[in-house]
Amino acid sequence: MPPTNDELIAEAMTEEAPLLPLLHRIHERDGYLSEEALRSVSKGLRIPIADLFGTITFYHHFAREPGGFEAPRVCTGPICCLKGARDLVAELDGATGMPCSGRCDEPIPVIRGSQTFVGLSANQLTVGDTPVPPAKVGDYEECVFANIRHSDRKTIRGYRQTGGYEGLEKAVTSMSPEQLTEMIDQSGLAGRGGAGFPTGRKWKAVADATGGPKTVVCNADEGEPGCFKDRALMDHDPHAVLEGMALACYATGSPRAFLYLRYEYPETEYLLANAISEAEAAGFLGDDVFGTGTKIKIYLRRGAGAYICGEETSLLNSLEGGHPFPRNRPPYPVTHGYEGTPTAVNNVETLASVPPIVLHGPDWYRGLGLGDHAGTKVISLSGDVARPGNYEVPLGLPLSTLIEEWAGGVPDGHTVQAVTMAGLSGGFLAGHDLDVTLDEPSIRAKGSFLGAGGIMVFDDTRDMIEISHMAMEFFAEESCGKCFPCRIGTQRLTERLVGNAGPDDLEQWLDEVSDLNKTMKETSACGLGQAAPLITESLLKYFPQAVQTHVIGD
Ligand SMILES: Cc1cc2nc3c(=O)[nH]c(=O)nc-3n(C[C@H](O)[C@H](O)[C@H](O)COP(=O)(O)O)c2cc1C
Ligand code: SF4
């Protein structure tokens, strides 16, 4: 007999951050969230029914009709659309589209229940796998991918064979939290989730903040279209992520940590849950880490489908069971994070970089970059390249080297017309600006940013207006709607990129779009609304002729 609502609620009440796991259990048990179940949850967790209803309907994946959990959801991200995703939605019975689900290296993903299939048409669908990062190219040394291709690395035994948990042991037995934080600061490691904030400084701010218990959150939401690096790290090297989280806990004085995983990675949830159990059983996590009395408990929580939940304050609201709007800042999570406690939110790649730094030292990590740039960055490369995949590059590597030499260039004799940066959030680079090195200062000098490191390549046959429309439509759908400039601006820009919508006077069209771009950049409350106009801004900069043809014809 499956557990009743009351039994599930009673169990949830004993847990940290109970709402999402409880809803997932009911969703999987019943195949949808019925009104009766929601009323029980509302009563049991004392959440007003209207608030609960508003929250669950905000997410893409909580089905409200019987059978919804098993109904196919097809990725309609930019790369999958270019590969025919809209046709696949039409082909599959009861299918709906979903925003980019982080498999641009293995299109087209379809999620059914708790399983992911991939294939270009209905009769080609096979069970999805996570490709191991392509073999290393050149003499450059890697950090997070150095051991990831070791066949047994995802088990604790294989992880131990390649130095696993030695960094944590070293830290808790022979270093103070301050020394660990200082070491990370010296290494130059900066956030790999998008904003690039120095990791050591963030940890120090949490350690120095008053109040507690302090909290570490691993941001594994990875909702940015064109980004799929965190999935590779978690699927092939889950213990490296856990060890990085444990080190962050030790440095900040946090007895607890949450790993917030995006809904679209169902298989990853099982891998991570297994890795947490292995590490607890070995005494590397739990009440007595390496026999030192240090307490570190890691909780795994799964989102339900919403790009904005990758924004750290939105994520915290989601974890707490609230409506996942971004919070106004300040105060920042380092002083007022999860349930008001000092919280370090870090990306998967950032955390996975920490154990090797502890083992090899800060100078080693700094030295991995080229010139003055410290360290490495994983780039998720997709689109019109011969070998899409995740590549760990030294910061400062020329973009052309990555595309041409590492990834085999653009197939079929075509050339690169444009690339996106930071997934979609950095807009396009094209023309002379493709001559750039992969590091924040160089890319920012071109008006874009590297961010989480997703790069989509579009060859000279692609329609840049169509791609810009897809990109803006994504932002419009994922705008949380809390603030006016982003809620309306993304809609108006989407309309101007399709059909004949908007004025057919070119000057007026350009004025309106430029005005929307400027207003959104200056007045949106969070990174989504500030970044979305980079799409239209860079479209106008690099493809004025295509814009003119779109507005007034040939
Ligand atoms: C709209 C939006 C989406 C984001 N999505 C992610 C995400 O999926 N993963 C992530 O690590 N950071 C994401 N971020 C950045 C986080 O807010 C935060 O800066 C990051 O998790 C901090 O970790 P780091 O310092 O290790 O990079 C997003 C930011 C915005 C504005
Ligand atoms: S900028 Fe957009 S996503 Fe961010 S808070 Fe405002 S409406 Fe929400």
Side-chain angles (χ1 to χ4, degrees):
M1 277 281 283
T4 63
N5 287 341
D6 287 345
E7 284 165 348
L8 288 177
I9 290 164
E11 188 190 334
M13 302 272 280
T14 65
E15 295 181 28
E16 292 271 4
L19 180 65
L20 281 170
L22 173 60
L23 291 173
H24 283 305
R25 277 175 213 141
I26 296 173
H27 197 224
E28 286 179 32
R29 183 196 63 188
D30 299 345
Y32 76 119
L33 293 177
S34 67
E35 181 159 345
E36 183 211 337
L38 286 180
R39 289 198 180 278
S40 305
V41 172
S42 155
K43 203 166 145 210
L45 264 53
R46 296 204 179 87
I47 303 172
I49 187 74
D51 290 355
L52 182 62
F53 190 81
T55 300
I56 65 132
T57 53
F58 184 85
Y59 296 109
H60 289 292
H61 292 293
F62 281 137
R64 295 294 334 282
E65 299 295 331
F69 174 65
E70 288 292 340
R73 270 148 283 173
V74 179
C75 175
T76 49
I79 300 301
C80 289
C81 276
L82 295 179
K83 304 272 180 194
R86 304 253 181 237
D87 296 339
L88 190 53
V89 175
E91 252 185 278
L92 291 168
D93 237 14
T96 49
M98 63 178 162
C100 180
S101 65
R103 285 180 189 261
C104 319
D105 52 343
E106 211 192 5
I108 302 166
V110 178
I111 297 178
R112 272 200 198 120
S114 299
Q115 223 180 350
T116 310
F117 301 84
V118 292
L120 296 180
S121 65
N123 54 15
Q124 284 178 0
L125 288 180
T126 53
V127 173
D129 197 11
T130 297
V132 178
K136 189 166 85 73
V137 187
D139 289 336
Y140 304 112
E141 204 179 337
E142 295 171 315
C143 173
V144 290
F145 282 175
N147 291 305
I148 203 167
R149 301 174 193 89
H150 187 277
S151 61
D152 204 21
R153 179 84 172 174
K154 63 178 80 147
T155 69
I156 199 161
R157 197 188 40 165
Y159 187 62
R160 291 290 276 166
Q161 279 167 9
T162 41
Y165 289 108
E166 285 175 18
L168 179 62
E169 183 173 18
K170 175 179 166 185
V172 296
T173 58
S174 67
M175 293 171 78
S176 68
E178 293 77 15
Q179 284 172 325
L180 173 58
T181 303
E182 178 62 20
M183 178 187 253
I184 298 306
D185 198 36
Q186 290 295 316
S187 74
L189 178 66
R192 300 301 190 223
F197 193 84
T199 307
R201 267 175 57 200
K202 186 180 284 187
W203 290 5
K204 186 170 183 328
V206 174
D208 290 348
T210 51
K214 291 173 181 171
T215 312
V216 165
V217 174
C218 173
N219 187 344
D221 199 54
E222 193 158 61
E224 182 71 42
C227 289
F228 43 90
K229 68 189 174 79
D230 294 342
R231 178 168 59 90
L233 282 166
M234 291 184 286
D235 283 6
H236 293 294
D237 214 356
H239 285 286
V241 182
L242 300 183
E243 188 181 358
M245 291 175 73
L247 283 158
C249 284
Y250 182 65
T252 54
S254 306
R256 64 181 176 190
F258 295 96
L259 191 151
Y260 186 96
L261 178 69
R262 73 177 301 193
Y263 180 91
E264 292 82 353
Y265 294 167
E267 295 82 2
T268 308
E269 185 182 16
Y270 294 104
L271 278 167
L272 287 168
N274 187 48
I276 292 172
S277 304
E278 282 185 319
E280 283 177 348
F284 305 154
L285 295 176
D287 289 335
D288 189 19
V289 173
F290 281 102
T292 59
T294 304
K295 187 176 171 204
I296 299 173
K297 172 84 185 155
I298 296 185
Y299 301 92
L300 181 55
R301 293 291 177 264
R302 189 166 166 216
Y307 168 63
I308 196 60
C309 286
E311 194 283 330
E312 58 187 4
T313 59
S314 185
L315 185 158
L316 293 169
N317 280 341
S318 174
L319 262 186
E320 290 177 13
H323 193 86
F325 277 150
R327 298 176 182 171
N328 294 336
R329 298 181 300 174
Y332 292 92
V334 288
T335 53
H336 295 75
Y338 176 70
E339 292 186 338
T341 64
T343 300
V345 182
N346 277 127
N347 171 255
V348 169
E349 183 189 346
T350 314
L351 291 164
S353 305
V354 172
I357 295 175
V358 175
L359 279 186
H360 304 303
D363 294 342
W364 167 81
Y365 185 75
R366 270 196 169 278
L368 296 182
L370 303 179
D372 290 340
H373 307 294
T376 64
K377 176 79 193 83
V378 178
I379 304 292
S380 300
L381 190 68
S382 62
D384 297 322
V385 283
R387 290 189 293 277
N390 286 303
Y391 295 89
E392 184 171 7
V393 304
L395 281 170
L397 188 81
L399 171 65
S400 57
T401 305
L402 173 66
I403 294 178
E404 302 301 333
E405 294 174 27
W406 294 34
V410 180
D412 306 324
H414 290 291
T415 55
V416 178
Q417 179 178 197
V419 300
T420 63
M421 280 287 153
L424 282 181
S425 290
F428 304 111
L429 288 184
H432 294 309
D433 285 347
L434 290 169
D435 184 13
V436 70
T437 54
L438 294 166
D439 55 80
E440 242 11 304
S442 312
I443 298 170
R444 282 189 189 267
K446 312 275 186 197
S448 178
F449 62 104
L450 183 60
I455 298 183
M456 297 185 238
V457 180
F458 300 105
D459 73 20
D460 47 25
T461 66
R462 302 298 183 187
D463 176 348
M464 294 310 296
I465 301 285
E466 183 194 351
I467 289 161
S468 305
H469 176 252
M470 279 194 281
M472 197 55 73
E473 197 174 31
F474 166 79
F475 287 122
E477 279 174 14
E478 295 301 316
S479 165
C480 79
K482 183 181 163 188
C483 67
F484 183 79
C486 167
R487 185 176 71 233
I488 307 297
T490 50
Q491 295 289 350
R492 294 292 93 90
L493 287 175
T494 306
E495 289 161 9
R496 280 176 180 42
L497 290 167
V498 73
N500 296 324
D504 50 14
D505 175 309
L506 182 61
E507 225 165 280
Q508 196 190 339
W509 191 98
L510 292 173
D511 280 352
E512 281 187 16
V513 169
S514 303
D515 188 40
L516 284 163
N517 288 345
K518 185 167 178 284
T519 309
M520 286 175 67
K521 280 173 86 171
E522 286 174 2
T523 58
S524 294
C526 88
L528 189 156
Q530 291 156 8
L534 290 186
I535 290 289
T536 24
E537 208 175 68
S538 53
L539 178 75
L540 296 177
K541 175 176 172 187
Y542 298 117
F543 302 103
Q545 190 56 50
V547 169
Q548 178 171 329
T549 308
H550 168 66
V551 181
I552 57 173
D554 288 321

